[in-house]
Amino acid sequence: GAGVSQSPSNKVTEKGKDVELRCDPISGHTALYWYRQRLGQGLEFLIYFQGNSAPDKSGLPSDRFSAERTGESVSTLTIQRTQQEDSAVYLCASSSDRADEKLFFGSGTQLSVL
Amino acid sequence: GESVGLHLPTLSVQEGDNSIINCAYSNSASDYFIWYKQESGKGPQFIIDIRSNMDKRQGQRVTVLLNKTVKHLSLQIAATQPGDSAVYFCAENKDFGNEKLTFGTGTRLTIIP
């Protein structure tokens, strides 16, 4: 596709359930990022994939959060045993490995934990 | 701790006027700064960036100013249009070579027709 695609666009779940959020980056982009955006706040870095290197997981808030990426394509962010404080918009972004290449964001997944 | 913050959470500007959105940062190690625009229901969109070895950079209708002495960043939008209404975020990068950014809270800009 022409841009970063995320699915679902909205997800409502019950506390304690697991959720999976999907990101399709721009074709050919080697770097992929996940960010979280709580209501009325800025974006918080979660995790970063670059090519075949080990991901930078330094932003994951707890061990309930994990992410995988298949090669240089689709990524899945998984949240286990969801809590109400996990409610937020989860944004995915990708970029190429060229110097000064900018991030291109998807529209995000709005997660609501009831 | 290190953070990026904004002085004003909301700003209303008459259409056609110029607007200035301000941002304060506290990490002197940051060497790259970016402004993003986020419209309702969409992801952030890159507007303009600036490196720490510059103090001004201009784009189309936008100018970013960097004052490293007081750790201040501003975004100027000239001749504002209704389509400029959005939330604007500043972000900083301490790790050259990736886009692991620290974002501010955001300023909501409303253009009054």
Side-chain angles (χ1 to χ4, degrees):
Chain A
V4 177
S5 177
Q6 292 187 246
S7 61
S9 56
N10 284 281
K11 176 71 176 179
V12 180
T13 191
E14 293 179 349
K15 178 181 174 181
K17 294 282 180 69
D18 298 351
V19 295
E20 282 190 356
L21 313 179
R22 177 186 169 107
C23 172
D24 285 90
I26 293 172
S27 178
H29 278 189
T30 57
L32 187 147
Y33 301 75
W34 283 98
Y35 284 84
R36 177 172 69 179
Q37 185 175 27
R38 289 196 165 112
L39 184 64
Q41 298 188 21
L43 282 68
E44 303 170 70
F45 167 79
L46 296 177
I47 188 169
Y48 158 55
F49 296 89
Q50 174 62 60
N52 295 319
S53 302
D56 180 341
K57 305 179 182 179
S58 59
L60 294 179
S62 77
D63 59 8
R64 296 187 296 105
F65 288 72
S66 63
E68 294 183 348
R69 187 181 187 193
T70 306
E72 294 184 353
S73 60
V74 173
S75 175
T76 302
L77 177 69
T78 301
I79 308 173
Q80 296 178 309
R81 305 181 301 283
T82 52
Q83 304 294 313
Q84 288 184 333
E85 63 263 28
D86 299 335
S87 296
V89 175
Y90 290 83
L91 289 156
C92 175
S94 70
S95 69
S96 74
D97 59 0
R98 294 191 346 241
D100 293 344
E101 180 60 20
K102 308 300 179 285
L103 279 183
F104 293 85
F105 282 87
S107 296
T109 294
Q110 172 72 64
L111 175 66
S112 300
V113 182
L114 304 179
Chain B
E2 302 292 358
S3 66
V4 178
L6 295 177
H7 295 304
L8 296 173
T10 62
L11 178 65
S12 296
V13 175
Q14 201 73 36
E15 182 180 354
D17 287 352
N18 300 332
S19 67
I20 300 176
I21 300 172
N22 296 304
C23 177
Y25 67 95
S26 57
N27 190 339
S28 56
S30 293
D31 64 359
Y32 179 53
F33 304 88
I34 312 103
W35 282 99
Y36 282 91
K37 173 185 180 183
Q38 187 175 28
E39 297 175 276
S40 181
K42 297 183 180 180
Q45 179 184 8
F46 171 88
I47 302 174
I48 192 167
D49 60 358
I50 189 167
R51 294 214 174 271
S52 60
N53 61 353
M54 302 172 68
D55 54 19
K56 180 180 180 179
R57 192 170 187 207
Q58 289 184 296
Q60 186 178 13
R61 287 200 304 118
V62 294
T63 301
V64 56
L65 298 177
L66 175 63
N67 186 330
K68 294 182 289 293
T69 302
V70 294
K71 296 189 181 70
H72 184 268
L73 192 68
S74 68
L75 176 69
Q76 300 177 0
I77 305 174
T80 53
Q81 303 169 357
D84 294 331
S85 294
V87 177
Y88 290 80
F89 294 95
C90 64
E92 63 179 316
N93 189 339
K94 294 169 285 186
D95 299 323
F96 180 74
N98 67 55
E99 298 287 334
K100 189 175 158 184
L101 303 172
T102 301
F103 281 80
T105 307
T107 292
R108 179 173 297 282
L109 175 65
T110 301
I111 306 303
I112 304 167

